[in-house]
Amino acid sequence: MAEVAPKTAVEEGGIARAAGVIALGNIASRVLGLARVQLIAYLFGASGLVSAFLVASTVPTMIYDLLIGGMLSAALVPVFSQVAEQQGKPALWALFSRVASLVAVILAALVLAIELLAPQIAWLLGGGFDADLQAALAQMLRIIAPAVLFFGLSGVLTGLLYALRRFSYPAFGAAVFNLGILIAAPLLAGRLDAMSLAVGVLLGSVLQLTIQLPGLRGVRLRFRLELRDPALRRILTLYVPIALGLIVSNLQIAVDRRLASSTGENSVAWMANATTLFQLPHGLVAVAISLAVLPTLSRFSARGDEGSFRSTLGQGLRLVLALILPATVGLLVLGQPVIALLFQHGKFSAYDTVWVSAALRYYLLGLVFASIDWPLNYAFYARQDTLTPALVGVLSVIVYLGVALSLLAPLGMLGLVLADSAKHFSHAVTMLILTRRRIGGLGELGLGPAALKALLASAAMAVAMLVTFAGVTYLWPGAGLGSRFLAVAVPGAAGVLVYVLSARLLKLQELMFLGGRLRARFGGRRFD
């Protein structure tokens, strides 16, 4: 027993360090991603060519998510880790060679298909654009197509490096990808206009793969196509339920792009800018907390400890509510000033700001539901049930299509945004019902009281932000960068302060817990 404690401490320390590296990579990626979006807005505004680029750039993303992204956490890392542990590294090198070879062959064929069928794909995804924009979209698709191969190989390599516990290289892969556009657009915009963005995606995909190559030290890689390998078959078996859900999800994305292209050439660009702000709190709160609780949920599920499983899930959900509700209210109050500060430069006009703000408000209706949905999904993954969330995903896409087709004519682009929020609502409510049935009730998790306290504190925060915003705009009127910054920074700081004080007054335990963790971390004290 004396040997167990030190070993456990070492493992926990390694996990903590790995989580820290991944978190740093995530922050770097989001900062550079925001800079990328700002640069696009500055150089090209929210033009039809930007919309065409955004449609073209979804193709490699959809293919990656379908063939690699879903497989990464559900199959590649677990099987790679198991083979390395039970059979040793030579067996792992052989399996990695088989997977990489198979992925390379499949993706090379897809690249060729995109090159040959670019006009047809452009019509399928952007049929609402005029002929010139469809032609530009097809040209962008041909430039971007090879990125499909680089993204895929990068994803497989990420799975291997995670299995080898070499986290630094893949952690910063997504951040480095953003450098592609940040480098290519300023250099090539004068000669290639928005086509420079497509070149940036291709460059970013090469950089994302290249930064991970040093992690291959000691790895013996060769081309091997052996489809009968048991470990390879295990990867494919684990991936099937995820793939089914992703197919439906990608179909919804394709339909969304097609419908959006029919509502005006600027619509896709406006929706993308609004989505950037939507995804910022969602990624930093919901995704981060879900990833943090997944290992613990998996451990309690394996032990059959239902009480601890419920307690951990409840803590994760309450923490999401305590952070995502004020983030939602804050963006509702300050959304338009934030958009003006971040994007309204160069060719991005005040008119664009108005429409992006409108889209953001409708997207925010689904933010809370999208955020609590992540821990619920991961609770099922912890029980090794990937089928249930996939089936619920199919249901939510049906809801999206029904709302989108109903609201497209009267509301145009905003109808599609409302449909997206309806999708998140239906998915979250269905998962809550199924979670309640699976774990035996949600009443003891304390979600209602936590949500009420967070809402009350958020309401106080909103009042403080509105009053402060009115004062700042009265004292420092104008549309200059300094005035815009103050119109966001001062009300934002006041809102955070009021929310924290209100949460303490209301005894919102989750925020107090988080504050204790932060004080312990940065104050140099141990927190138990």
Side-chain angles (χ1 to χ4, degrees), residues 431-446:
M431 289 301 296
L432 277 170
I433 295 172
L434 294 175
T435 302
R436 180 178 182 275
R437 292 180 178 177
R438 184 67 62 91
I439 71 174
L442 298 176
E444 63 188 65
L445 301 185

Side-chain angles (χ1 to χ4, degrees), residues 173-193:
V176 170
F177 162 72
N178 289 309
L179 290 177
I181 288 178
L182 291 174
I183 293 171
L187 292 177
L188 302 176
R191 286 178 288 175
L192 300 180
D193 198 24

Side-chain angles (χ1 to χ4, degrees), residues 330 332-341 461-478 483-495:
L332 281 171
V333 174
L334 293 179
Q336 187 157 335
V338 168
I339 292 166
L341 174 64
M461 178 192 76
V463 172
M465 294 173 80
L466 288 170
V467 172
T468 310
F469 178 77
V472 169
T473 53
Y474 176 77
L475 294 174
W476 292 283
S483 298
R484 290 178 185 174
F485 176 77
L486 290 174
V488 172
V490 176

